[in-house]
Amino acid sequence: MNEGQKIEVRLTAIRYAARDINLFEFSRIGGGSLPAAAPGAHIDLHLPGNLVRQYSLVEAGDDLAAYTVGIKRDAHSRGGSSFVFDRLKVGDVPAISPPRKHFRPGEAAPASILVAGGIGITPIHAMMRRLSEIGRPWKLHYACRSRADLPDFGMLSELSAEQFHLHVDDESPGTFLDLDAVVAAAPPGAHLYCCGPAPMLSAFEKATAALPADRVHVEHFTAREAGQSTREVVVRLSRSNREFAVPAGKTILGVLRAAGLNVAFSCEEGVCGACETAVLSGIPEHHDSILTAAERARNDTMMICCGGARSDLLVLDL
Ligand code: FES
């Protein structure tokens, strides 16, 4: 982690939102506003034992007194949500990162179709608020297992049937949110967004495969592919002119850290964006779950925790 990227905050409230979902509110110690957060942004939460987890903000804004994240207790927790639910208390002072925004609404789109499953509603909720504020049309399709899992984030209970399509799995056994129908019914030119469990993301990507890539947006919170260099590459750091050989099977980030460089990183899985680095020359090989197809094709940025190179030399803005 890059120490300069941390903000010390106090956990000022924990509120119930649904079964196994709580809202955690973090405020700056001593008061004052926090850095601006774009709709769909997430923060890193730094926990003991070098655990770092990414959680999406429920609300965005330029002048926030607090960040509120929705967190679900994960039955298969690797330590993050179990610590947050069982050990974190109001008054604790964990560190967080400034918000990052890899998932944000295309505000000029003629319509936005928002698809969420389970706790995936969190970034989508911030986008709904923003789209409503600026008067852009949108519709939410939300799936949860039962009504006890439907989070009370304030805005959901106020939506009309025209704007909110709810699919409750245990009320329609054996059926799932019909994403092919959702995509087929999308207005011409609409942008489509999805955040939810991995099977939903896969189904969404399949249902939207024929659409232009710049109209399809997916938020991943777990890695969708293994990430390391598949061939040896030389990495040159433009600011120091130092060069490093990155062998196949290693990551650029790992090699730079082993050499003692202080490089920003967090998840090391290609899902958080902390290690995003501008590429000045060469062709990166992307393995992250953040960049869109169009962003990948520009070859001007990469996540160095998991990307490699298709060229022999990569020049990075480091
Ligand atoms: Fe999270 Fe690289 S450290 S994307």
Side-chain angles (χ1 to χ4, degrees):
M1 276 66 44
N2 183 329
E3 296 296 321
Q5 296 297 310
K6 288 185 184 176
I7 307 170
E8 298 246 312
V9 290
R10 189 179 304 285
L11 177 60
T12 42
I14 301 174
R15 293 194 296 279
Y16 176 88
R19 176 170 59 187
D20 291 331
I21 298 178
N22 285 345
L23 294 174
F24 295 79
E25 178 192 280
F26 299 99
S27 306
R28 197 188 276 283
I29 294 172
S33 56
L34 290 157
H42 64 263
I43 56 170
D44 293 338
L45 175 60
H46 296 262
L47 300 170
N50 285 326
L51 277 183
V52 184
R53 293 291 183 266
Q54 288 73 46
Y55 297 114
S56 294
L57 299 178
V58 174
E59 292 179 21
D62 293 336
D63 187 25
L64 293 171
Y67 292 147
T68 302
V69 296
I71 303 179
K72 179 178 173 62
R73 180 192 283 279
D74 183 351
H76 307 290
S77 173
R78 293 175 295 146
S81 75
S82 59
F83 182 91
V84 167
F85 273 78
D86 297 335
R87 307 272 298 280
L88 205 60
K89 307 182 302 299
V90 170
D92 285 354
V93 287
I96 62 170
S97 69
R100 294 193 203 94
K101 51 176 191 329
H102 284 288
F103 191 55
R104 59 184 309 176
E107 298 187 346
S112 295
I113 302 301
L114 310 172
V115 178
I119 191 62
I121 188 64
T122 313
I124 296 286
H125 183 269
M127 295 169 61
M128 290 157 46
R129 291 189 87 100
R130 173 65 183 162
L131 291 167
S132 293
E133 274 167 23
I134 61 174
R136 305 303 300 174
W138 57 271
K139 179 163 183 173
L140 170 67
H141 299 267
Y142 181 59
C144 58
R145 290 203 181 132
S146 77
R147 291 205 179 246
D149 299 314
L150 181 62
D152 177 12
F153 284 180
M155 193 167 177
L156 291 184
S157 57
E158 300 160 10
L159 299 178
S160 67
E162 273 179 13
Q163 226 171 4
F164 183 23
H165 168 218
L166 175 65
H167 184 279
V168 181
D169 294 353
D170 68 4
E171 293 176 7
S172 312
T175 69
F176 298 97
L177 184 58
D178 185 346
L179 292 174
D180 289 327
V182 167
V183 173
H191 280 226
L192 293 95
Y193 301 81
C194 184
C195 186
M200 172 181 263
L201 298 182
S202 300
F204 178 80
E205 287 178 324
K206 203 166 148 212
T208 55
L211 294 178
D214 63 349
R215 287 174 43 207
V216 177
H217 312 270
V218 179
E219 173 86 319
H220 290 266
F221 277 99
T222 53
R224 64 181 169 188
E225 53 185 276
Q228 65 261 319
S229 265
T230 55
R231 50 174 284 182
E232 177 161 331
V233 57
V234 173
V235 169
R236 181 184 301 154
L237 309 187
S238 66
R239 299 179 204 174
S240 60
N241 220 22
R242 293 176 71 186
E243 290 190 352
F244 298 86
V246 181
K250 299 282 186 190
T251 67
I252 297 172
L253 175 69
V255 168
L256 298 183
R257 290 189 63 217
L261 274 71
N262 181 21
V263 185
F265 72 100
S266 175
C267 70
E268 298 185 80
E269 292 187 313
V271 297
C272 77
C275 69
E276 183 168 4
T277 301
V279 177
L280 303 179
S281 167
I283 303 174
E285 177 184 290
H286 301 284
H287 293 292
D288 63 90
S289 304
I290 299 170
L291 298 177
T292 63
E295 289 167 336
R296 287 182 171 207
R298 287 203 292 268
N299 292 325
D300 60 1
T301 190
M302 69 182 298
M303 307 303 148
I304 59 170
C305 68
C306 57
R310 295 184 197 282
S311 54
D312 294 335
L313 174 69
L314 269 186
V315 182
L316 300 178
D317 183 18
L318 282 175

